[in-house]
Amino acid sequence: MKITGLTVYQVDLPLEHPYWLSGGRLKFECLDATLVKLETDAGITGWGEGTPWGHTYVPAHGPGIRAGIETMARFVLGLDPRCVLEVERAMDTALPGHLYAKSPIDMACWDIAGQAAGLPIADLMGAASRTPRPIASSVGAKTVEETREVIARYRARGYIAHSVKSGGDVARDIARIRDVEALRAPGDIMLYDVNRGWTRQQALRVMRAVEDLQVIVEQPCETLDDIAAIAPRHATPVSVDETLVTLQDATRIARDGLAEVFGIKLNRVGGLTKAARMRDVALAHGIDMFVMATGGSVLADAEALHLAATIPDAHCHAVWACQDMLTVDIAGGRGPRNIKGHLHLPEAPGLGVHPDEDALGAPVAAYR
Ligand code: MG
């Protein structure tokens, strides 16, 4: 089987409500999605998506994906999409770095490989748990009272996992964590996500003040060096998100004991092929995981769900459904959808969901 065509679509995915990053530093109103259709000489078509979380959150940005694909396309055409490692190496040869530009092509190859094998991607990857994965809420409230109200609304919809955005004010962050923990229900999965919002001294003040609660704090500081510098001076468990980009990041974090949890975001780390290695590093070092789309439609959520299904249940805390934050649906209600705060693995071969091509507009590029 050979890749014979690569077609690129750009789609705006407006957010239902403007999204403020932890601490109110960055505001997003629309996501810039790139959809990739891979065609083969076997008549099987695969789809991939790359949707960064805005242009200013991490180095990944929408136009960069499309520019990267333009550079990589001729290295990928003619390859067998089922040989995902060969496609990965071709992309890495054509364009060092820029992992986020590679994820849509990698995802479309896995989609084709799954369809060719007659298996959902997670089964093809070797282990697919059918346990529904809890969807983490995104609680971006300002005050302690608002935080309570937002979590209560999510709970009423069946959510048991919550990502409580923190950062901005040390005293309020400590009060917020203590208040949410006081109301924690059995089985709740709580994450306090700072999105790099604290300086080292702010992180130390909060993480020391809540040590008795043993909550998980995600991405407290800007860099891995920051996280490493404060690690010996507090006893609060850490999750890494934005600073987990490469396999080398993963091995450093594991070896140096910089985090107890990985937040693996598929677009940022370069797709399923590269993310699967991070999963294995995590499992080999007793590190638990959250697996999420960086952003995007039900396609991106489905990709993350497939990887999450390959993680033993006890080590996979939650996934995410970015689709619930959007005002458009490019797949007409198909694919894994939010059922009482959980996502269920699709049983169809491959990714398990394709977009309505008519809903994507005219392609912005096509390579043959
Ligand atoms: Mg995070």
Side-chain angles (χ1 to χ4, degrees), residues 54-84:
H55 291 334
T56 51
Y57 163 60
V58 291
H61 65 129
I65 294 179
R66 296 182 290 276
I69 290 172
E70 185 181 1
T71 302
M72 294 183 290
R74 69 187 172 87
F75 291 81
V76 169
L77 287 168
L79 297 180
D80 187 332
R82 297 167 300 180
C83 300
V84 291

Side-chain angles (χ1 to χ4, degrees), residues 69-235:
I69 290 172
E70 185 181 1
T71 302
M72 294 183 290
R74 69 187 172 87
F75 291 81
V76 169
L77 287 168
L79 297 180
D80 187 332
R82 297 167 300 180
C83 300
V84 291
L85 297 179
E86 208 177 313
V87 175
E88 180 197 30
R89 288 168 199 156
M91 290 195 287
D92 286 342
T93 301
L95 181 67
H98 298 274
L99 303 179
Y100 64 97
K102 296 164 182 173
S103 82
I105 293 174
D106 177 77
M107 177 175 168
C109 287
W110 278 103
D111 184 25
I112 291 168
Q115 291 177 66
L119 294 170
I121 288 172
D123 278 317
L124 184 64
M125 294 180 88
S129 168
R130 261 66 183 181
T131 306
R133 295 300 184 204
I135 300 169
S137 71
S138 191
V139 182
K142 282 209 173 71
T143 66
V144 171
E145 293 72 27
E146 282 168 13
T147 303
R148 259 188 205 210
E149 288 165 20
V150 174
I151 292 176
R153 282 206 294 275
Y154 274 114
R155 280 202 175 112
R157 294 166 56 199
Y159 281 75
I160 59 167
H162 304 279
S163 175
V164 181
K165 303 304 168 188
S166 306
D169 183 287
V170 165
R172 190 174 63 203
D173 286 333
I174 295 169
R176 189 201 318 271
I177 292 170
R178 291 214 165 270
D179 193 69
V180 171
E181 287 301 307
L183 297 170
R184 185 193 269 265
D188 272 355
I189 299 157
M190 291 292 180
L191 183 73
Y192 297 90
D193 190 355
V194 189
N195 289 126
R196 306 168 288 175
W198 290 329
T199 61
R200 293 185 188 185
Q201 61 87 11
Q202 288 173 322
L204 275 174
R205 282 158 65 198
V206 179
M207 293 166 86
R208 279 177 168 166
V210 300
E211 268 175 5
D212 58 307
L213 299 171
Q214 287 295 292
V215 299
I216 300 169
V217 168
E218 184 160 280
Q219 201 65 48
C221 301
E222 184 73 30
T223 67
L224 279 183
D225 284 341
D226 294 334
I227 292 172
I230 64 170
R233 302 176 61 195
H234 69 84

Side-chain angles (χ1 to χ4, degrees), residues 19-75:
Y19 185 89
W20 291 91
L21 200 66
S22 296
R25 290 167 296 141
L26 294 169
K27 183 186 185 185
F28 310 118
E29 293 176 289
C30 186
L31 304 181
D32 177 350
T34 301
L35 278 292
V36 169
K37 180 174 76 169
L38 284 189
E39 290 162 285
T40 63
D41 60 359
I44 300 176
T45 298
W47 284 88
E49 174 178 359
T51 306
W53 190 238
H55 291 334
T56 51
Y57 163 60
V58 291
H61 65 129
I65 294 179
R66 296 182 290 276
I69 290 172
E70 185 181 1
T71 302
M72 294 183 290
R74 69 187 172 87
F75 291 81

Side-chain angles (χ1 to χ4, degrees), residues 1 17 45 55 59 62 90 111 113 127 131 149 214 226 236-237 249 312 315 320 324 331 334 351:
M1 192 190 299
H17 305 290
T45 298
H55 291 334
D111 184 25
T131 306
E149 288 165 20
Q214 287 295 292
D226 294 334
T236 291
D249 294 332
H315 300 289
W320 187 37
D324 290 346
R334 299 184 304 277
L351 186 63

